[in-house]
Amino acid sequence: MVPVFEDYKKILFPYGSQDTLATIAALGYVLFLFETGVKMDFNMILKTGRKGWAIIVFGLIAPMVIGFFVRHLAGKSDLENITLEGDIVMVGHNTTSFVVIVSLLNDLKLLNSELGRLALSAALVGDIFSNVFVTFSSIMINTNHHIPIVIRFGSLVGIVIFILFIYRPTMFWIVEHTSEGKEVKDIYINIVIGTLFVLCWISGQLERGPIFLPFIFGLATPAGPLLGSTLIKRVHLLGIKLFLPIFMTTSTMKMEYGFWNLTKSPTFDIVMFVFFSGYFVKMVTCYLVSIFYKMPLKDGISLALLLNCKGVVEVTMYSTALDRNDISPKTYGVVMILIMISICMTHMLVKCLYDPSRKYVGYQKRNLFHMKSNSELKILVCIHKQHHVTFITRFIDLCYPIVEDPVTVDALHLIELAGRYSPIFISHKKKKVVALNLHDSYSDSVILSLKLYEHDKQGAAIVNPYTAISPVNLMHEDICHLALDKVSSLIILPFHRKWSSDGKVEYDDINIRTINCNVLDKSPCSVGILVNRAVYPTDSSLRLALVFLGGNDDREALCLAKRAARVTSIELVIYHIVDKNKSGKEKENLSTMLDIAMLKDVQLEQSRMGNVTFRGIEVEGGSQTLDVLRQMVDEHDFIIVGRRHGIDSHQTSGLQDWSEFPELGPVGDYLASSDLDCKASILVVQQQICL
């Protein structure tokens, strides 16, 4: 079998081609190291809590101590000639690679989860320590180098000082002097990339390979806009998409497929023992530290599995050791197979053990319908763009904020993660200065608008601004986590479309729509999607309408409308649309009885509240419901409807078949459609989904 593989390898990669491939592959790995450093947030090390430090420090120290103890025992036996292989396997396995864990968390969609944030903090610290340890160990081991150790060591330290204290401040100066909305000049980008290749050559001369200096150079480069994201655009396609796969291919080509014929080889025995002893020691250590900090059982096991995961960084380490004859081809084959098994097992086990959405399941009633009369209303509003602030604040005014009964608003500004690995979550209430580590006055203006609104309300509305910088596909995790943490009763999401004054669609952001759908599925409280079609003047009366057909969502919408009706300048009209042909059995339904009780309560208050009007309308099907909606849209400035998810009724029969946006429900979808010339803003409400 082995000769067959070798024959095919010679046909695919003839003599002479492998040197070219090796050069291209090395370039791909250098660019990968640089991009990894750029995407890291160096400030994250300072923010790492005691839990992260304890997990990674003990997770590195304990396996190393036990590993060196095993090496000492081996040195006294007949295995002394292979202790170097054992050391390399031990060091390679106990390194913690930040980029490998980031990629795994991204695949598992756990990057923004509580477990993911802890794993990233621990992995970043561990990666820095691992790189320093491996680099200087390599310098000390390679005593046959033509440059003395003292000169090599001193040169590395001097270059690192230059990178951190001259290059890094210079890059920040360039970013600060780049005009708003423009990218960094090409000449600066070319100088950075040219410097990277010079450092690669120097690193290759001083180290045993170009590893440490390209990584530190990338780490010192300011992440995110404007410099970091531009650099990543330039190197990502060529380095990561093209050259890095070639590097992985050349690394696996070095495997000897006859390694499984090993039976009683001492090399195989010591490698397997060191690998598995180190693996389980690190697993147990990370798990025990997480348990000490009172993490749940499954979360502790998942964290230990994540921090033990291996990938491209470890493959590179072993491939380099093989090229220098520090490990044998058979040992290399064994560790490659073990790395592949580790990746597959970690992915499957973490996916089974950890479900970040389970904590959002609502056992506690967090909605308007179940709120006590004297309870404080807590709302979470989400903002993607600057113009969202205006109609979000107008909605807050609908919630009747007064000094005696203030409304607490947690405002979350969501920004797409670009040019960095680590998601960022910032509370601006605790920081007087907006410190996003990026040149972004756009975010500053959003926060400033919210603070000005809070100042104008004079204690009636308490606004707590936050900023979340994360991948689009994981933004719903930030929203749900904040709503859960702040015990919010309602989340307000902006609709993904914006209309111009003449009724044409200005933009249609599919990413915002995806976020809204994910929040509707996983939210720990009630959710409202706000469709802004017009901005009404604050000094005039607001013509508010509620479309009530029945069900949990409609009752939640009715609670919000009743609260809005406390504002004397609001004229509320409740449209109760019922099925003309409903049977007596439906009246006995518990949900229907709750609907009737709430409507009777509103009718009793109608005489006391002169700004509330009740209209009962009977229809025979969905077509007549549409007629009612068409007639009412011109009479109102703002319309509140329930999403009515999971409900099939005669009043909306046939409407689902033509639905363009199912997340708005049948009624909300029709009111927001381009076919209906509706100038009124619409709020679609979904009540908290409880168990």
Side-chain angles (χ1 to χ4, degrees):
M1 182 65 70
V2 177
V4 175
F5 282 114
E6 294 297 328
D7 292 339
Y8 281 124
K9 186 186 294 185
K10 290 178 181 179
I11 294 173
L12 290 172
F13 305 100
Y15 179 78
S17 65
Q18 295 189 18
D19 292 338
T20 304
L21 277 176
T23 304
I24 295 174
L27 179 61
Y29 186 65
V30 165
L31 294 176
F32 165 76
L33 286 172
F34 175 69
E35 181 174 329
T36 299
V38 172
K39 286 186 174 181
M40 284 186 182
D41 183 9
F42 193 78
N43 294 325
M44 192 175 177
I45 298 177
L46 303 176
K47 301 174 185 176
T48 302
R50 288 181 297 176
K51 186 191 300 185
W53 278 97
I55 289 173
I56 200 61
V57 169
F58 284 101
L60 281 175
I61 292 177
M64 288 290 185
V65 171
I66 294 177
F68 279 114
F69 179 72
V70 173
R71 179 198 184 283
H72 178 72
L73 292 180
K76 295 181 178 180
S77 66
D78 57 350
L79 301 178
E80 185 173 1
N81 60 327
I82 58 161
T83 52
L84 179 59
E85 286 193 344
D87 287 347
I88 292 173
V89 173
M90 177 191 65
V91 173
H93 181 72
N94 283 291
T95 55
T96 301
S97 174
F98 179 83
V99 67
V100 171
I101 295 175
V102 166
S103 301
L104 180 59
L105 289 172
N106 194 35
D107 291 340
L108 293 170
K109 297 182 178 180
L110 299 178
L111 207 57
N112 282 23
S113 65
E114 188 177 359
L115 177 69
R117 293 180 186 276
L118 178 58
L120 286 180
S121 299
L124 179 59
V125 178
D127 203 358
I128 300 296
F129 285 166
S130 298
N131 272 280
V132 173
F133 178 78
V134 170
T135 298
F136 291 107
S137 296
S138 176
I139 292 176
M140 299 301 294
I141 292 173
N142 191 16
T143 56
N144 297 323
H145 202 283
H146 63 281
I147 302 176
I149 292 178
V150 176
I151 296 178
R152 287 156 57 199
F153 183 82
S155 300
L156 274 180
V157 173
I159 294 172
V160 170
I161 292 174
F162 169 80
I163 291 173
L164 295 179
F165 295 100
I166 297 179
Y167 165 76
R168 183 172 171 84
T170 303
M171 292 300 104
F172 276 112
W173 182 87
I174 291 173
V175 170
E176 290 175 0
H177 287 78
T178 300
S179 302
E180 182 71 21
K182 294 184 179 181
E183 292 187 347
V184 175
K185 293 181 180 179
D186 288 342
I187 186 173
Y188 298 131
I189 301 297
N190 295 334
I191 290 174
V192 171
I193 295 176
T195 306
L196 170 65
F197 292 138
V198 172
L199 288 176
C200 289
W201 180 81
I202 297 175
S203 184
Q205 297 298 314
L206 299 177
E207 305 177 52
R208 305 187 77 191
I211 296 176
F212 184 66
L213 290 182
F215 172 74
I216 292 296
F217 188 64
L219 190 63
T221 302
L226 301 166
L227 182 62
S229 57
T230 304
L231 281 168
I232 290 172
K233 287 179 184 177
R234 301 291 178 88
V235 305
H236 184 78
L237 180 62
L238 188 65
I240 308 303
K241 295 295 185 181
L242 181 60
F243 289 165
L244 189 61
I246 295 175
F247 171 77
M248 294 300 293
T249 301
T250 57
S251 296
T252 52
M253 282 171 55
K254 300 174 184 178
M255 289 179 59
E256 281 194 5
Y257 296 96
F259 70 88
W260 49 70
N261 294 326
L262 293 170
T263 53
K264 296 183 179 180
S265 170
T267 301
F268 181 79
D269 292 341
I270 191 67
V271 168
M272 292 293 290
F273 180 77
V274 170
F275 190 93
F276 282 109
S277 64
Y279 185 88
F280 287 113
V281 168
K282 190 172 181 180
M283 275 282 297
V284 172
T285 305
C286 294
Y287 172 71
L288 290 178
V289 175
S290 62
I291 292 299
F292 176 79
Y293 284 98
K294 299 180 180 179
M295 287 182 64
L297 175 64
K298 291 184 178 180
D299 292 8
I301 297 175
S302 299
L303 179 63
L305 287 169
L306 287 170
L307 295 178
N308 265 288
C309 189
K310 307 302 170 190
V312 60
V313 175
E314 288 73 25
V315 169
T316 304
M317 190 178 302
Y318 292 127
S319 177
T320 305
L322 177 66
D323 293 339
R324 297 167 184 156
N325 296 319
D326 291 338
I327 61 174
S328 66
K330 292 182 179 180
T331 301
Y332 181 76
V334 172
V335 294
M336 288 296 104
I337 293 297
L338 291 175
I339 286 175
M340 286 187 282
I341 294 174
S342 171
I343 293 173
C344 296
M345 293 298 294
T346 301
H347 193 282
M348 290 188 296
L349 290 173
V350 173
K351 200 167 186 178
C352 293
L353 289 171
Y354 186 77
D355 180 13
S357 64
R358 71 177 187 268
K359 62 184 177 183
Y360 303 136
V361 177
Y363 294 96
Q364 183 180 354
K365 307 297 183 182
R366 297 181 178 180
N367 50 56
L368 302 178
F369 180 75
H370 292 95
M371 276 186 61
K372 296 180 180 179
S373 57
N374 57 347
S375 298
E376 178 186 9
L377 177 60
K378 296 183 178 181
I379 303 173
L380 170 61
V381 298
C382 300
I383 299 169
H384 297 273
K385 303 179 183 295
Q386 175 68 45
H387 69 268
H388 289 164
V389 177
T390 303
F391 63 86
I392 285 291
T393 53
R394 296 294 172 84
F395 166 77
I396 299 172
D397 291 336
L398 280 178
C399 298
Y400 189 59
I402 57 176
V403 177
E404 294 78 12
D405 185 15
V407 175
T408 300
V409 181
D410 295 301
L412 180 61
H413 184 207
L414 295 155
I415 301 176
E416 183 179 358
L417 183 70
R420 65 172 72 233
Y421 277 129
S422 308
I424 298 176
F425 191 89
I426 301 170
S427 172
H428 299 282
K429 202 69 176 179
K430 298 179 180 178
K431 297 183 178 181
K432 295 182 179 180
V433 179
V434 180
L436 294 181
N437 197 26
L438 48 84
H439 190 63
D440 192 5
S441 61
Y442 163 64
S443 181
D444 295 350
S445 62
V446 171
I447 304 304
L448 179 61
S449 300
L450 294 170
K451 290 183 176 179
L452 288 175
Y453 173 79
E454 180 185 32
H455 180 267
D456 292 340
K457 300 308 291 185
Q458 298 180 349
I462 302 170
V463 181
N464 302 313
Y466 302 88
T467 296
I469 306 176
S470 59
V472 172
N473 62 332
L474 297 176
M475 281 184 179
H476 64 279
E477 296 285 352
D478 287 319
I479 298 171
C480 294
H481 181 78
L482 184 60
L484 183 72
D485 184 54
K486 299 301 178 181
V487 199
S488 301
S489 299
L490 180 65
I491 298 174
I492 298 298
L493 306 169
F495 193 52
H496 66 278
R497 274 189 177 178
K498 181 187 178 184
W499 288 267
S500 60
S501 57
D502 58 358
K504 295 182 180 179
V505 177
E506 282 190 10
Y507 75 84
D508 191 339
D509 195 330
I510 189 64
N511 290 330
I512 296 179
R513 185 186 179 191
T514 302
I515 294 168
N516 292 348
C517 293
N518 289 334
V519 173
L520 286 171
D521 291 338
K522 299 183 178 181
S523 172
C525 62
S526 297
V527 182
I529 298 180
L530 186 55
V531 183
N532 183 51
R533 301 296 291 265
V535 178
Y536 54 88
T538 55
D539 55 351
S540 63
S541 61
L542 174 68
R543 299 174 299 170
L544 178 63
L546 170 70
V547 180
F548 189 91
L549 285 80
N552 291 336
D553 296 343
D554 284 28
R555 289 193 292 272
E556 190 76 0
L558 179 57
C559 291
L560 184 59
K562 287 172 59 179
R563 186 179 182 95
R566 298 178 188 175
V567 183
T568 56
S569 61
I570 292 180
E571 299 174 1
L572 172 62
V573 179
I574 300 175
Y575 293 87
H576 182 205
I577 302 176
V578 297
D579 180 19
K580 189 175 182 179
N581 302 318
K582 62 183 177 180
S583 63
K585 291 184 179 179
E586 291 184 71
K587 293 183 180 180
E588 298 176 0
N589 185 283
L590 177 60
S591 179
T592 306
M593 294 173 65
L594 288 173
D595 294 338
I596 294 172
M598 282 199 69
L599 291 172
K600 284 184 177 180
D601 183 56
V602 172
Q603 289 174 328
L604 288 174
E605 292 184 4
Q606 183 179 349
S607 57
R608 182 177 60 84
M609 302 172 66
N611 59 339
V612 179
T613 305
F614 184 86
R615 296 181 186 178
I617 302 173
E618 293 184 342
V619 297
E620 293 185 350
S623 60
Q624 291 190 11
T625 301
L626 296 184
D627 293 336
V628 174
L629 297 177
R630 277 193 293 266
Q631 294 172 8
M632 61 173 280
V633 291
D634 294 331
E635 301 177 8
H636 301 282
D637 305 310
F638 201 101
I639 303 172
I640 303 177
V641 301
R643 187 189 174 201
R644 297 180 58 76
H645 70 289
I647 298 179
D648 294 324
S649 61
H650 294 290
Q651 300 99 305
T652 58
S653 60
L655 299 186
Q656 291 88 343
D657 300 336
W658 302 95
S659 179
E660 184 180 5
F661 307 116
E663 66 270 21
L664 298 181
V667 177
D669 176 75
Y670 179 71
L671 292 174
S673 65
S674 301
D675 299 333
L676 183 66
D677 188 21
C678 176
K679 301 299 183 182
S681 296
I682 304 150
L683 178 66
V684 180
V685 180
Q686 172 185 285
Q687 192 182 72
Q688 174 197 19
I689 302 175
C690 298
L691 294 181

